[in-house]
Amino acid sequence: MADRQQTDPAPSWWSRPEGPADPHRDGVPAPRPEDARDQGASPAPDPAGDLPQQPRDDPQPREDPPPYEDPYRGGPAGGPPRYDPWSDQPLQAVDRGRRSRPVRLWHVVSLGAGVALLAGGIGGYAGVLAERQSNTRLELPQAAAADRGRAPESVAGIAATALPGVVTLHVRGTAGSGTGTGFVLDQQGHILTNNHVVGDSKDIAVTFSTGESVTAELVGRDTGYDLAVVKVSGVRGLQPLRLGNSENVQVGDPVVAIGAPFDLSNTVTAGIISATGRPVTAGGDKGDGSDISYVDALQTDAPINPGNSGGPLLDSSARVVGINSAIRGADKGDPTRQGGSIGLGFAIPINQGKRVAEELIRTGRATHPVIGVTLDMQYTGDGARVDGKGEDGKPSVVTDGPGARAGIRPGDVITKVDGQRVHGGDELIIKIRAHRPGDRMTLTVLREGRERTLEVVLGSANGS
């Protein structure tokens, strides 16, 4: 039996074409107009547009439905628009988007480059951030900033006190150029140094610890003591070093040396006094003995190297107790000979340096204490032997000289000075020059197998 559609009135928001619904079997839609023409029947309007029509079983002809009315413009009476679910104009449309374009190679390359740049930037930033965070987190333990002041008796305290009064000398002479050290003696600009630093000099430049350089002139020098004085002019704010007393120095006392080893200005080294009264001779390059210096030296293990010559050796109160002058290297025949310090440095006692400096400033020359005898420097026995004859046929004991008045005779062997043993002619000269002219000395003399004690008042001779 054919179903019939309900004829109840439709809601106001929904309407369908007026007139009886076409009966069809089991909900099968009416045939398409094409199908109706094919069957010799008049085409029936298709309210659903393109929906397929199925042939109906009812062969009876039907009346034509009312003309189609535009559901959006109302019915014949021009009423309000009505929605027709069978209209051929659907209310919704499918948005299929823009037409896809083919993917090209440059698209892929551009995308890859962009991704690589972005990844690199992000990675670099992350690395820098990680490094900063890592550095920030890594904090090694460190002492807090403290007062830079040092105890006056410490090495740092001594250096701070003495450095403004120490100078570096650059010397140019006939034999070449060299570097040495000196220290300020007074506000007038006098500077004490070694003779071998400024000997035969033409030009002398003095550089202070502040870096200021000025020219200097030679005031006086003495080969026998290996001391010299130069002077600078027009320099303000000079800071002379205080002079100590070398007779108060004892073995084991701490000392500080300041100089310019190998032209390294303001170098500070420290050590102790390792010996006192050490007989040292230096020079002798001329071969006639005129350039030999004799020093009753202070021995120290404070490192002293070429360029330290003329620099101060200071005690724990920053007072000068010696003038650094010589070092002992390894034996010349030793293939491993060391050219620098091996811990054997020697300084002229400041008591001797003070006297010589005063004479050089006053007169330009220094005097030497003498006993008025000629020594046999080839004697190999113990002690210093008085030669049998003097130079140029003169007597070995100067007539009416200090030695002659004390009773010294040719051939006597002097074994002690003031009770201290001497082992050769050099040591005797050194012991004598450790005194001043006019000082009294006690000599022990071995004559014909017997010892005699003689008292000598030292005479004076001009140095070279």
Side-chain angles (χ1 to χ4, degrees):
M1 180 178 68
D3 293 332
R4 293 188 179 276
Q5 295 187 5
Q6 188 177 1
T7 59
D8 294 336
S12 60
W13 51 269
W14 179 79
S15 65
R16 63 183 178 180
E18 295 181 357
D22 294 336
H24 58 277
R25 187 163 54 101
D26 296 331
V28 177
R32 294 183 178 180
E34 294 83 359
D35 297 337
R37 287 194 298 270
D38 294 340
Q39 297 177 5
S42 59
D46 184 5
D50 296 336
L51 294 176
Q53 299 288 337
Q54 299 294 335
R56 298 172 61 93
D57 294 336
D58 187 2
Q60 298 296 327
R62 294 184 293 113
E63 296 181 358
D64 293 335
Y68 177 77
E69 300 174 359
D70 188 349
Y72 297 97
R73 296 183 179 179
R82 295 175 298 173
Y83 169 71
D84 186 357
W86 284 276
S87 170
D88 60 353
Q89 298 183 5
L91 296 180
Q92 295 83 19
V94 178
D95 185 6
R96 302 182 182 276
R98 300 179 62 182
R99 184 178 179 182
S100 61
R101 298 180 180 178
V103 179
R104 300 184 182 277
L105 178 60
W106 69 270
H107 291 162
V108 177
V109 173
S110 299
L111 179 61
V115 171
L117 290 174
L118 181 61
I122 294 174
Y125 176 77
V128 172
L129 183 61
E131 182 180 359
R132 289 181 178 177
Q133 291 177 348
S134 175
N135 291 340
T136 302
R137 290 194 300 268
L138 180 60
E139 294 184 2
L140 299 176
Q142 183 182 25
D147 183 11
R148 298 185 63 184
R150 296 291 185 269
E153 66 276 8
S154 67
V155 174
I158 295 170
T161 301
L163 275 172
V166 180
V167 301
T168 301
L169 287 84
H170 294 92
V171 180
R172 186 171 61 87
T174 55
S177 60
T179 302
T181 309
F183 58 92
V184 179
L185 292 173
D186 54 30
Q187 293 289 348
Q188 286 71 43
H190 293 106
I191 295 171
L192 182 62
T193 185
N194 283 140
N195 173 68
H196 73 262
V197 171
V198 298
D200 299 327
S201 62
K202 289 185 176 180
D203 298 308
I204 304 173
V206 173
T207 302
F208 294 87
S209 61
T210 58
E212 179 184 7
S213 294
V214 296
T215 58
E217 61 176 353
L218 181 64
V219 174
R221 63 190 185 91
D222 185 88
T223 303
Y225 287 114
D226 192 21
L227 291 172
V229 173
V230 299
K231 183 180 181 180
V232 296
S233 301
V235 179
R236 297 181 179 179
L238 293 174
Q239 298 188 35
L241 297 188
R242 296 182 300 159
L243 304 184
N245 192 325
S246 52
E247 292 184 1
N248 298 332
V249 174
Q250 296 185 9
V251 174
D253 285 348
V255 288
V256 172
I258 301 179
F262 301 101
D263 204 13
L264 299 174
S265 301
N266 305 321
T267 297
V268 178
T269 56
I272 62 170
I273 295 294
S274 49
T276 60
R278 187 73 77 189
V280 174
T281 58
D285 296 334
K286 292 183 178 180
D288 58 0
S290 61
D291 61 336
I292 297 178
S293 58
Y294 301 89
V295 180
D296 192 28
L298 301 174
Q299 180 180 317
T300 179
D301 66 348
I304 297 174
N305 292 282
N308 274 103
S309 296
L313 187 68
L314 306 152
D315 63 12
S316 59
S317 298
R319 296 173 301 198
V320 181
V321 294
I323 303 102
N324 301 317
S325 299
I327 60 174
R328 175 70 165 87
D331 292 335
K332 293 183 178 181
D334 186 353
T336 62
R337 175 181 174 85
Q338 182 175 339
S341 173
I342 60 172
L344 293 174
F346 304 97
I348 301 170
I350 192 57
N351 289 16
Q352 182 174 325
K354 176 179 177 294
R355 180 185 70 82
V356 174
E358 291 170 345
E359 292 185 350
L360 292 176
I361 293 172
R362 286 196 305 264
T363 66
R365 300 177 68 89
T367 58
H368 297 170
V370 295
I371 59 174
V373 300
T374 301
L375 299 177
D376 181 6
M377 303 305 291
Q378 304 301 320
Y379 178 69
T380 57
D382 193 33
R385 180 177 181 272
V386 179
D387 203 345
K389 59 181 180 179
E391 296 179 358
D392 300 329
K394 297 179 181 179
S396 60
V397 179
V398 178
T399 304
D400 200 26
R405 290 193 294 267
I408 298 177
R409 298 179 183 178
D412 286 351
V413 177
I414 301 172
T415 58
K416 295 180 182 178
V417 175
D418 293 333
Q420 295 183 351
R421 174 74 64 175
V422 293
H423 302 282
D426 290 342
E427 287 191 30
L428 177 61
I429 296 172
I430 290 170
K431 294 298 183 183
I432 293 172
R433 290 192 179 181
H435 292 75
R436 294 172 179 267
D439 288 351
R440 292 182 177 272
M441 296 180 59
T442 301
L443 302 180
T444 301
V445 177
L446 182 62
R447 182 186 302 164
E448 297 178 354
R450 297 180 56 185
E451 284 189 345
R452 292 176 171 81
T453 301
L454 306 176
E455 188 173 282
V456 179
V457 177
L458 297 177
S460 177
N462 290 327
S464 58

